[in-house]
Amino acid sequence: MTVTDTPPADYALDWRGRDSFVLLDSEFGHGELFFAAWQAWRNDPQRPRQLHYLALVPQLAACNELQQTAENHPEWQALCAELRAAWPPAVPGFHRIFLQQGQLVLTLMIGDGAACLRQIAAKVDAFRLHGSRWREWSLPVLGTLGRLAAGHASLDIAGAEAAARKQLQQTGFVFDGGDGRTARFNPRFTARSAAAPVHADRRAIVIGAGLAGSAACQRLVQRGWRVDLVESHTAPAQQASGNSAGIFMPLLSRDDNPGSRLSRSAYLFALQSWRQLGGIGGAFDGAACGVLQVARDAAHAESQRQLADYWRYPADYAQWLDQASAGRVAGCPVSGGAWFFPAAGWVQPRSLCQAMLDSCGEQLQTHFGRHATILERGQDGWTIRDLHGATIAAAPVVILANACDALQFPQAEDLPLSAIRGQVTYLDAGQVPAIKPVICGEAYLTPAYEGSCSIGASYDEDGETALRRDSQDHNLARLANILPGWQAGQAPLAGRVGFRCVASDRLPLVGALPDKNGASPVREAKLKDLPRFPGLYSLLGYASRGLIWAPLAAELLASQLNGEPLPIEAELAAALDPARFLLKEQRRGNPPRQ
C-alpha cells in the first residue's frame, strides 16, 4: 500500500452506532488495511457488534507474509496470530473466517477480482478501492458497486481517472468537493430490492435433529436467535446421521465444476467451524487422519495425475501420490495411485450433532419424541402440530431439516427428493489392515473406532431396513479391489442401514421454499421472481456428504435470514436454491404441477 493509498484517519467513523457493518476491500495484499480496520474496530467503544470484512484476493498471501506485515506494529501481533491460525489453503473461491469470537467475519475471495466482485451477494456500507488491480476493471465492473452499495455507502478510491469517476457517478455515487477521492452513494432513483426479507423476530423452528438440523440450530443461536428443535426420535442423529463413522473430504474435477467448487467450500468451512466448536477428537469423536482416495484403475490414475499437474493444488489441500507412495501413506498396499487429503478424515456424526446442540445453551428448546405432522401458516407465523393436533411449537420461521420426511408436508411434497438405501458394514479392527488414514475409492474403510471399522456404503434403490448379506458382500468385494491381497473371509452380518436424502441433481436444497401454487409460467423467469412461502426454508438433500454440507448450508441460510453477506459465490448459492426446479419448469413454459 502506497502513501497515497492509505485510508483517511477517520475512515472507521461510518460504523459508529451500527449493529452490523460491511466493508469491501479491493485488494487484501498482505493484510495492511485489514489489520488497521480490525484494530480501529477493537479500539472504538461505539463499534458495531459485528464487522463483515470482504476482501478481494487475486493471490493469497503466505502466513509468513502476514507475519512480516505485523512486525512493525506491536498492536497487530495478537491479531496476526489469530488470523494465521485460521488461514485457508490457497485454492480459489470464497473463504469465510470467523475472528474475535465471531464478531469479526472475514470473507476472502480468491481469484480474479472483477469476476469475484460480480459474485458477491451483500449490501456494502464502505468500499475501499486501493492498490493497482482495481484500475484494470472495466467500467461495467465498476458499475457493479452501485448494485452492492447500501444506502449512503461510503467510497474511498485512490487515483480514479475521469472515466471511472463518471461511471461511478452514473451508478449513484456523489463525490465530495475535496480531492475527488471520497464519495457517498446517493442515487436519484432507488430500484426495488429483491433481497430476501430480514426477520426482526428471531425465533425459528427446526424440524430434524440430524447433521442438517443441528448445524442450523448452532448457526442461528450464534446470531442470537431462539430456536425450537423438533425431532420424532428421542435423541439426535438417529437416521442418516447415525452411522458409527462418516468420512469428510472435498471433490475434485478437471473443469472445477459447481459441484467441485461447492464441495471445496463446504469442506474448508466445515474444518473451520469444527475448530471453533472445540476440534475433532476434542468436542466430538473423530480424527483428522487424512483421506486417501485410490484411483479405480490405471486409466483413472493417469487422468488424476494429469488433473494434479493442471491444478497444482497446495500440499495442505490435496496431493497426488503414485502407487508406492500411496501405500506408504496408507500403511498397507493399495491398488493404485491416490489423492491424499491431509486435513480430511472421519467423524462420528452423533457426537458431532450433540456437540453442536450443546453449544446452543438456553437459546435452544428441544422437543424430542415429538413427530411434526401438521405445518400451518397463520397471521403470526407458523405452527407445528402433532398427529393429534396438539401444538408443539410456533414461530415466524420454520426450517425443514428432516430429509425425505419433509415430503409429508404439502408445502414440500413436490420437491424432487428420493431416499437411497445405504448399508454400512462393521468389521472387527483385527479383520482389516491397520490403516493410518481413511482409505476410499469404490468403497471406504475407516480406522478403528471402539474396536471396529466401517466399510461402505451400498447404494441400493429399495426400502429394506434390515441388514442384507448381498449388500455386505458387495461392500467387502469393493474394498478388496482397493486392498490387494486382502480378503474378508466369512464375516458375520454386522452394520447399519440408513437412507440418504438425494435431490435429482445431487445438490442440496438450501433456502426459501417455492410456492408452486402462486407461480404463473413465465419463460424468462428468474429465481428472484418466483413466489416463496413466507418464513419457510429447507436444508435438505445432503446425500452422502452431510458432514461437510451441514455447516456451510446452515451458514448460508443463517446469512440469508439475517441479511448478511453470503459466504459463497452468488451463482453457487443459486445452484442450491430450492426453487431451481420450479424455475426449470417455468423456463420450459410448463405450468407448475397442481
Side-chain angles (χ1 to χ4, degrees):
M1 185 185 295
T2 66
V3 174
T4 57
D5 287 342
T6 303
D10 61 349
Y11 77 97
L13 297 179
D14 290 333
W15 63 42
R16 291 187 172 178
R18 303 281 297 275
D19 182 66
S20 179
F21 193 84
V22 180
L23 189 153
L24 174 60
D25 179 355
S26 67
E27 189 172 339
F28 187 84
H30 295 167
E32 298 92 337
L33 185 60
F34 173 67
F35 285 128
W38 187 354
Q39 189 65 44
W41 174 79
R42 280 166 51 100
N43 292 344
D44 191 343
Q46 299 182 54
R47 64 180 178 270
R49 177 190 57 82
Q50 188 170 66
L51 174 61
H52 276 271
Y53 196 102
L54 314 180
L56 299 173
V57 188
Q59 185 172 357
L60 189 69
C63 278
N64 66 315
E65 292 174 315
L66 297 177
Q67 185 60 48
Q68 291 171 5
T69 298
E71 283 179 355
N72 295 327
H73 299 269
E75 69 277 15
W76 292 358
Q77 295 295 324
L79 311 187
C80 183
E82 185 176 351
L83 179 60
R84 290 179 63 189
W87 202 238
V91 291
F94 285 22
H95 299 258
R96 176 154 289 184
I97 298 172
F98 293 93
L99 304 163
Q100 295 281 159
Q101 293 79 48
Q103 292 181 296
L104 174 57
V105 184
L106 170 62
T107 303
L108 297 171
M109 297 166 283
I110 303 176
D112 176 74
C116 288
L117 193 68
R118 295 188 184 99
Q119 292 299 321
I120 296 173
K123 282 302 179 183
V124 177
D125 299 298
F127 298 89
R128 298 294 176 259
L129 271 60
H130 62 98
S132 60
R133 294 185 184 271
W134 73 265
R135 294 181 174 88
E136 301 171 3
W137 298 349
S138 66
L139 294 180
V141 171
L142 273 179
T144 304
L145 302 188
R147 174 182 64 82
L148 296 175
H152 303 290
S154 65
L155 169 66
D156 183 82
I157 183 169
E161 296 181 355
R165 285 166 50 87
K166 183 177 179 180
Q167 177 67 42
L168 290 166
Q169 288 170 333
Q170 291 176 345
T171 302
F173 287 94
V174 178
F175 284 84
D176 63 22
D179 59 4
R181 171 173 174 159
T182 59
R184 285 281 179 185
F185 186 65
N186 190 19
R188 293 183 180 181
F189 305 100
T190 303
R192 178 179 64 87
S193 174
V198 177
H199 294 274
D201 186 352
R202 296 186 175 187
R203 292 182 297 118
I205 302 168
V206 174
I207 301 178
L211 287 165
S214 300
C217 293
Q218 181 201 27
R219 307 315 292 184
L220 288 175
V221 165
Q222 285 183 342
R223 289 165 164 84
W225 285 63
R226 297 192 66 87
V227 179
D228 283 272
L229 175 62
V230 181
E231 169 57 54
S232 59
H233 293 87
T234 57
Q238 297 298 302
Q239 295 186 344
S241 300
N243 288 339
S244 177
I247 67 174
F248 60 93
M249 55 184 282
L251 175 68
L252 307 180
S253 66
R254 177 63 181 263
D255 61 355
D256 205 30
N257 57 52
S260 296
R261 293 162 60 197
L262 281 163
S263 82
R264 179 168 65 235
S265 293
Y267 165 72
L268 294 173
F269 186 81
L271 294 181
Q272 185 196 171
S273 66
W274 295 342
R275 284 194 297 267
Q276 287 184 305
L277 194 61
I280 304 171
F284 52 94
D285 295 338
C289 55
V291 170
L292 196 69
Q293 185 180 23
V294 182
R296 293 188 300 272
D297 50 37
H300 185 225
E302 176 58 22
S303 70
Q304 296 306 295
R305 186 195 63 77
Q306 292 177 9
L307 188 156
D309 290 343
Y310 181 81
W311 283 108
R312 297 189 180 278
Y313 294 112
D316 58 344
Y317 179 69
Q319 308 167 26
W320 174 253
L321 306 177
D322 60 27
Q323 183 175 5
S325 299
R328 286 192 292 270
V329 170
C332 67
V334 294
S335 60
W339 282 105
F340 180 56
F341 304 100
W346 66 274
V347 163
Q348 206 278 336
R350 187 175 295 121
S351 68
L352 174 58
C353 289
Q354 191 62 60
M356 289 189 286
L357 296 179
D358 289 344
S359 73
C360 294
E362 296 181 355
Q363 293 290 103
L364 175 66
Q365 178 68 44
T366 58
H367 305 268
F368 287 110
R370 302 292 301 275
H371 189 81
T373 305
I374 301 170
L375 178 58
E376 293 180 343
R377 172 74 184 175
Q379 287 186 339
D380 298 327
W382 295 93
T383 300
I384 305 296
R385 304 184 190 278
D386 64 17
L387 182 63
H388 305 290
T391 298
I392 302 174
V397 169
V398 169
I399 299 170
L400 303 181
N402 54 339
C404 288
D405 286 348
L407 300 176
Q408 69 179 305
F409 299 117
Q411 298 87 347
E413 63 185 0
D414 277 0
L415 296 176
L417 298 171
S418 57
I420 304 297
R421 182 181 184 273
Q423 181 172 321
V424 177
T425 298
Y426 297 154
L427 287 185
D428 289 342
Q431 294 180 270
V432 295
I435 59 173
K436 299 173 183 177
V438 174
I439 296 178
C440 71
E442 293 186 320
Y444 67 79
L445 171 66
T446 65
Y449 173 65
E450 295 183 343
S452 68
C453 298
S454 296
I455 302 163
S458 68
Y459 212 85
D460 308 317
E461 296 186 4
D462 63 75
E464 176 60 62
T465 58
L467 292 173
R468 289 207 309 255
R469 175 63 64 176
D470 64 328
S471 294
Q472 174 157 309
D473 290 345
H474 188 50
N475 286 341
L476 297 178
R478 290 188 302 166
L479 180 61
N481 289 335
I482 301 174
L483 303 177
W486 176 82
Q487 293 294 329
Q490 294 298 316
L493 185 62
R496 186 179 185 277
V497 174
F499 289 86
R500 312 170 183 91
C501 179
V502 182
S504 58
D505 61 2
R506 299 301 191 263
L507 290 177
L509 281 65
V510 182
L513 282 182
D515 182 356
K516 63 182 184 298
N517 294 320
S520 300
V522 179
R523 189 172 295 275
E524 299 301 323
K526 298 180 180 180
L527 281 171
K528 65 181 180 62
D529 300 321
L530 298 180
R532 313 289 178 125
F533 289 106
L536 183 59
Y537 302 87
S538 70
L539 293 170
L540 301 169
Y542 291 4
S544 303
R545 295 181 174 267
L547 278 172
I548 63 169
W549 275 126
L552 179 64
E555 176 68 15
L556 173 59
L557 180 55
S559 298
Q560 292 171 339
L561 292 173
N562 273 29
E564 300 171 6
L566 299 189
I568 57 176
E569 295 91 321
E571 66 182 7
L572 296 184
L576 302 179
D577 192 315
R580 63 187 186 267
F581 307 103
L582 180 59
L583 180 64
K584 290 178 182 178
E585 290 186 2
Q586 293 277 355
R587 288 179 171 173
R588 287 196 301 263
N590 298 331
R593 294 187 297 271
Q594 299 295 325

